[in-house]
Amino acid sequence: MKRILRSAAVIVFFLTLASCSRKQAPGRKKAFLKDRAKILESQITWSDDVSAADQPLPEKLTVSPDLQQYPLVHIAATRFDSLPKSYPTLEGFASLDTSAYSDASLATAEGFCRALEAGKGEDSFMDKDFLYSLALFKYALSPDGKGSSSVKILSHILGKPLTPQGNSGSLQCPVRLTLAGGGVCDIYLYLVKSGPDWKVHQIDFMKQEETDEHERR
């Protein structure tokens, strides 16, 4: 009986040791990975931090005279706000530089052209003493030139205005109208300042020689 009890005690003892061994294994594994990570980190060679203050750029950069340079290089090296502005030009029409318009004169020119496209309200932009100019324009723009029907205007483009010498109260504004069915019609809108506003004083068709002269200006 005593021999059986001793055998049982030995078995329980070894089972207890095995259980403790299994519980401690993860802890040893975790400690092993942490130690391994520290070893690997100590073997890494890190570079020094570099900042702009540590290595400032030279105050003036120079280009070798032996280096072939192109016009774009000079443009890139120049402040853009110091360069003259460049505007496109429609061949056979005018420059598209509209910077000479004031807000009020531009609003009148644009408003009149949009009214032409809508087919109504044009007279509100006209000088009341020159409404006949609008009637003559529509008459001449009709397909048969006799005012029997109107031509649909699809869109417009404003060109660079001309200011008659010594007269800042008037503008000669080139306008290109795109017509339904193809084709364009180039006209002049003559704007006259009336108090704080601008009104369309006259409408005239541009002639080819006038277009050429406008482009030269």
Side-chain angles (χ1 to χ4, degrees):
M1 183 67 179
K2 290 181 179 180
R3 187 176 299 171
I4 294 173
L5 291 175
R6 279 198 299 269
S7 299
V10 170
I11 293 171
V12 171
F13 175 74
F14 280 108
L15 289 175
T16 302
L17 285 178
S19 176
C20 292
S21 176
R22 285 194 299 271
K23 291 180 179 179
Q24 292 174 1
R28 288 202 302 272
K29 186 176 181 181
K30 183 182 295 185
F32 172 77
L33 292 176
K34 186 182 295 184
D35 294 339
R36 182 63 177 163
K38 288 181 178 180
I39 293 172
L40 292 175
E41 184 178 4
S42 66
Q43 295 174 349
I44 297 175
T45 302
W46 299 96
S47 62
D48 296 331
D49 290 338
V50 178
S51 64
D54 297 332
Q55 297 183 2
L57 293 173
E59 293 184 2
K60 186 176 182 180
L61 299 176
T62 58
V63 179
S64 170
D66 298 330
L67 181 65
Q68 185 176 4
Q69 298 188 39
Y70 299 91
L72 287 178
V73 175
H74 297 285
I75 294 175
T78 308
R79 288 180 58 88
F80 285 102
D81 54 3
S82 66
L83 294 174
K85 294 182 179 180
S86 178
Y87 297 89
T89 299
L90 276 181
E91 184 177 357
F93 175 55
S95 167
L96 302 186
D97 176 11
T98 58
S99 60
Y101 288 96
S102 65
D103 290 342
S105 61
L106 183 61
T108 296
E110 286 283 0
F112 178 80
C113 292
R114 286 195 293 268
L116 284 178
E117 294 164 12
K120 58 182 179 180
E122 305 96 317
D123 53 346
S124 64
F125 297 94
M126 297 289 300
D127 184 323
K128 63 180 181 179
D129 294 329
F130 292 88
L131 284 173
Y132 68 88
S133 182
L134 175 61
L136 291 175
F137 166 71
K138 288 188 171 183
Y139 186 88
L141 194 61
S142 61
D144 57 3
K146 298 180 180 180
S148 59
S149 61
S150 60
V151 174
K152 174 65 177 175
I153 298 173
L154 301 179
S155 62
H156 69 277
I157 299 174
L158 287 182
K160 181 179 180 179
L162 301 176
T163 302
Q165 190 172 5
N167 188 355
S168 60
S170 63
L171 289 174
Q172 182 182 3
C173 311
V175 182
R176 170 161 287 185
L177 304 175
T178 302
L179 309 178
V184 296
C185 176
D186 294 337
I187 63 172
Y188 278 127
L189 293 182
Y190 293 88
L191 304 186
V192 176
K193 194 169 184 180
S194 177
D197 301 321
W198 290 77
K199 293 292 184 180
V200 178
H201 180 77
Q202 186 179 346
I203 309 167
D204 198 6
F205 291 92
M206 292 175 65
K207 301 181 179 65
Q208 185 59 48
E209 56 269 22
E210 292 176 330
T211 300
D212 295 339
E213 176 63 21
H214 195 286
E215 287 181 337
R216 285 194 292 272
R217 296 185 191 182

